[in-house]
Amino acid sequence: MHMMGVLDTLHLWLLPSGLLTTLYMWHAYVCGTIVALTATLVGYFVVLRGVAFMAHSLPKIGFAGVAGATVLQVPPLVGLLTFNLLGGLVMSTLSRRGRRDVVTALTLVLALGAGELFLTLGQAYGETAYALLFGQIVGISGPQVGQTLAVGLVTTGLWMILYRPLLFVTVARDQALARGVRERLLDNLFAILVGLVCVMTVPVVGALLGFSLLIGPVATASLVTRRGVHTLLLAGALGLAAIWLALLLAYDSGWPVGFFATTIIVLEYKVVYIGRWVKTRRALAI
Amino acid sequence: MLDVRDVHVHLAERLVLAGVQFQIEAGEFVGLIGPNGAGKTTLLKTILGLVTPDLGQVLVDNRPIRRGNPAIGYVPQKVHLDPDTPLRGRDFVALGLDGVRWGVPLPRRSRRERVERALGSVQALTYADAPVGRLSGGELQRLQIAQALVGEPRLLLVDEPLSNLDIRNAHEVVRLLHELARSRGMAILLVAHDLNPLLSALDKVVYLARGRSMAGRTDEVMTSESLSRLYGYPVEVMRTRGRIVVVGGPDMHLVPPEAADHAGLGEWEATTP
Ligand SMILES: Nc1ncnc2c1ncn2[C@@H]1O[C@H](COP(=O)(O)OP(=O)(O)OP(=O)(O)O)[C@@H](O)[C@H]1O
Ligand SMILES: [Mg+2]
């Protein structure tokens, strides 16, 4: 892939820094960066719209999709795309009729059940399942980096197109409807957006860590910012810091990246939360 | 400007509007009055094209309404905003300008100025940079009006703007809207369940009860005869110290609901436009 050629050349330039001596670590950093930034964009709307449960469920549905792909012997990406996009659309369509959380939960267990079946049929229990749940960020191939970048660009493009009407219908639904915003279309496109981000996160950081990257940094940033742009910038920085630091620590210790990344994301939240609390206490004391 | 013709709407097998009829001209400031559950919000939604009438028609500028008409501004009754919503007042108002368009908004000078003007016209500049989720009910109310105004509508529908406000602010908002109707020739339909704070400003009243409407000048509509006919049972309209009080309406709980039911919608005459 041409793009990969460019990225790998960049890697050669960075070689002297010492850390990025191995190509697989370089791939991990590139993928981690793309995933963290895209997850921030989508996570912004996930938090604003209060659909964390849906964002939590979709990666697990994607996991079933990959398991299915191994059974049918098609590329994992096909399984991921099919399950995540379909799962998202089913959730957004059905939740207009029933309660969103119930619909989400039912879709999730259905997919997990199917996932278990696929894993058994594909006789690929242990390692594959482990990689899907926790990701394999260290050990990503060149083509996979290209894939992540491509899906990342598509997701970012769709996010930019949706931004304004999605914001309008989220913060001022009645006014948006009156002005002609098409809610159903937006609901479905948003589900696709979350599905796409899961397509990126599942192979790289796994179904579990993907969710924390989506929600954590944005939630932390919203504690202290009052403007969308600032929230996005701060959340992006927090997400990047978490994944970069996690890769560094994992490289040194041999412990899993996911453990460090989730811990750092939660720590960031705690620190900011306590900082804000101390600040208000001080303000009250004066 | 706005022509509501014999509109019938049913929601969940209940006839909520059963022949509503009135007109509003450009520059008129009109109060839409009625007890809770009378169908005021439903009527606004019908005018916006969010609810389709079973019978009858709504015309704006002599054309049938369609959803998303930029000539109509809307300030809804209920707002819910999370306190941590990462949005400043001015971002919230800007959504009224081009929130329907796809894509990320580009920071243009004309856009900023229009938002600034809308904020200024409701005197909301002092808290324009505060996060919207933290504003008081009255402050948010003004921002909502600014959001509706920024698109420069010719018809403004405002649902219960006064219920969140103290008396001083209620008068202030009424004065502001009245002024907008005068200076911009904008038609305003303002929903309220109490007529009194509006009395001095209104050009016209549309009174809604039991799905029917009565429209006209305040002194025509607010009489014991008209309202008794509308309610289908005797109510008394009293004037004391410059206030109008409807005695015996459903808000007063003086008439048992059975008595109201006996009146039956079928025997009612057409409302006077
Ligand atoms: N989506 C709906 N489905 C079924 N019934 C509805 C729906 N929306 C409103 N109604 C009913 O229609 C009637 C009129 O409601 P509406 O909200 O228009 O009243 P309102 O005059 O605005 O009352 P309020 O002063 O309390 O705001 C109410 O009895 C309400 O229960
Ligand atoms: Mg109402």
Side-chain angles (χ1 to χ4, degrees):
Chain A
M1 227 179 167
H2 181 66
M3 200 134 52
M4 277 318 299
V6 176
L7 283 173
D8 287 344
T9 318
L10 207 64
H11 165 236
L12 286 180
W13 292 346
L14 291 169
L15 259 179
S17 68
L19 172 68
L20 302 169
T21 41
T22 56
L23 194 59
Y24 75 85
M25 274 314 278
W26 168 241
H27 286 168
Y29 270 93
V30 173
C31 275
T33 304
I34 301 169
V35 166
L37 292 179
T38 319
T40 299
L41 292 180
V42 178
Y44 177 70
F45 280 111
V46 170
V47 171
L48 201 61
R49 290 169 71 82
V51 291
F53 187 39
M54 172 189 163
H56 169 84
S57 304
L58 270 181
K60 270 134 238 145
I61 291 171
F63 154 78
V66 180
T70 42
V71 175
L72 296 176
Q73 302 197 323
V74 293
L77 187 69
V78 175
L80 260 179
L81 270 172
T82 323
F83 268 61
N84 273 335
L85 301 191
L86 273 184
L89 286 178
V90 165
M91 283 182 198
S92 88
T93 310
L94 290 185
S95 57
R96 268 192 289 275
R97 291 168 198 274
R99 284 186 45 170
R100 184 184 285 277
D101 52 352
V102 175
V103 168
T104 306
L106 288 178
T107 317
L108 173 63
V109 289
L110 192 66
L112 284 182
E116 187 184 7
L117 174 68
F118 293 151
L119 283 178
T120 314
L121 290 180
Q123 293 172 340
Y125 218 91
E127 254 172 57
T128 321
Y130 184 84
L132 288 174
L133 278 176
F134 301 105
Q136 41 190 185
I137 186 160
V138 181
I140 295 169
S141 66
Q144 253 185 314
V145 181
Q147 243 171 42
T148 309
L149 186 61
V151 181
L153 289 176
V154 172
T155 313
T156 308
L158 182 61
W159 185 89
M160 287 175 77
I161 294 172
L162 297 189
Y163 176 83
R164 207 170 359 179
L166 195 57
L167 184 66
F168 197 11
V169 82
T170 304
V171 300
R173 177 169 181 268
D174 286 335
Q175 293 96 316
L177 294 184
R179 291 297 296 273
V181 165
R182 294 164 68 188
E183 188 181 37
R184 233 168 239 223
L185 179 68
L186 278 172
D187 272 354
N188 290 339
L189 288 174
F190 175 69
I192 289 179
L193 195 67
V194 181
L196 279 175
V197 97
C198 297
V199 168
M200 295 174 66
T201 50
V202 171
V204 180
V205 291
L208 299 178
L209 177 56
F211 173 67
S212 55
L213 269 176
L214 208 57
I215 303 294
V218 175
T220 309
S222 328
L223 289 177
V224 287
T225 51
R226 50 183 61 176
R227 281 184 69 176
V229 195
H230 295 171
T231 312
L232 283 171
L233 289 175
L234 181 57
L238 289 170
L240 278 185
I243 197 86
W244 286 351
L245 195 59
L247 280 170
L248 185 73
L249 293 173
Y251 185 75
D252 275 352
S253 65
W255 289 6
V257 180
F259 161 72
F260 286 114
T262 37
T263 311
I264 295 167
I265 287 171
V266 173
L267 273 180
E268 286 173 345
Y269 185 86
K270 287 274 171 204
V271 167
V272 172
Y273 188 88
I274 292 171
R276 189 174 80 152
W277 182 76
V278 169
K279 210 177 130 201
T280 30
R281 284 297 293 260
R282 282 234 188 94
L284 285 177
I286 289 169
Chain B
M1 163 90 246
L2 174 68
D3 189 356
V4 177
R5 292 185 181 171
D6 193 32
V7 162
H8 290 64
V9 169
H10 80 264
L11 294 172
E13 321 209 339
R14 216 194 110 208
L15 203 55
V16 177
L17 302 179
V20 172
Q21 186 142 323
F22 63 91
Q23 280 134 22
I24 300 182
E25 301 305 327
E28 271 187 330
F29 189 27
V30 180
L32 177 58
I33 314 292
N36 288 132
K40 305 181 293 293
T41 301
T42 307
L43 179 57
L44 292 196
K45 291 200 165 158
T46 312
I47 297 171
L48 288 164
L50 297 175
V51 170
T52 316
D54 300 298
L55 204 71
Q57 220 183 0
V58 180
L59 303 175
V60 172
D61 295 326
N62 295 316
R63 260 168 305 179
I65 39 118
R66 58 181 174 85
R67 192 165 78 89
N69 186 346
I72 310 180
Y74 177 42
V75 180
Q77 179 171 7
K78 277 174 279 186
V79 260
H80 172 77
L81 278 173
D82 191 272
D84 281 330
T85 305
L87 214 58
R88 295 170 303 169
R90 61 177 76 246
D91 307 324
F92 184 74
V93 171
L95 286 172
L97 191 60
D98 52 16
V100 276
R101 289 213 216 124
W102 300 104
V104 177
L106 301 171
R108 270 181 294 115
R109 183 133 162 246
S110 62
R111 188 170 185 269
R112 243 197 346 263
E113 282 168 357
R114 287 180 74 176
V115 170
E116 198 78 7
R117 238 179 297 142
L119 285 164
S121 68
V122 297
Q123 286 134 34
L125 281 168
T126 46
Y127 45 84
D129 290 313
V132 274
R134 302 279 166 77
L135 295 177
S136 80
E139 288 166 341
L140 191 55
Q141 189 68 258
R142 278 170 196 259
L143 282 187
Q144 280 192 272
I145 296 176
Q147 191 191 56
L149 285 178
V150 73
E152 292 174 14
R154 284 177 297 118
L155 170 64
L156 186 64
L157 309 176
V158 200
D159 202 347
E160 301 258 12
L162 309 182
S163 53
N164 275 330
L165 306 179
D166 56 37
I167 293 180
R168 195 179 59 82
N169 273 299
H171 276 290
E172 187 61 21
V173 166
V174 170
R175 197 195 54 76
L176 177 93
L177 291 173
H178 190 207
E179 168 69 26
L180 285 167
R182 287 285 164 282
S183 61
R184 303 192 187 184
M186 194 164 58
I188 297 184
L189 183 60
L190 185 150
V191 173
H193 53 254
D194 182 15
L195 180 63
N196 288 299
L198 303 167
L199 271 181
S200 60
L202 289 187
D203 296 310
K204 211 182 198 177
V205 170
V206 177
Y207 200 101
L208 213 60
R210 310 207 61 222
R212 313 289 295 253
S213 67
M214 180 82 67
R217 286 203 325 271
T218 315
D219 52 347
E220 290 168 356
V221 173
M222 301 307 289
T223 64
S224 297
E225 297 79 59
S226 322
L227 289 195
S228 295
R229 196 143 56 93
L230 191 62
Y231 276 113
Y233 51 82
V235 297
E236 203 168 327
V237 178
M238 302 206 300
R239 282 154 215 271
T240 55
R241 292 191 216 155
R243 288 175 58 86
I244 298 183
V245 183
V246 180
V247 182
D251 283 350
M252 308 282 290
H253 301 294
L254 290 181
V255 177
E258 306 88 73
D261 280 344
H262 284 197
L265 285 172
E267 358 169 322
W268 289 24
E269 292 168 34
T271 50
T272 43

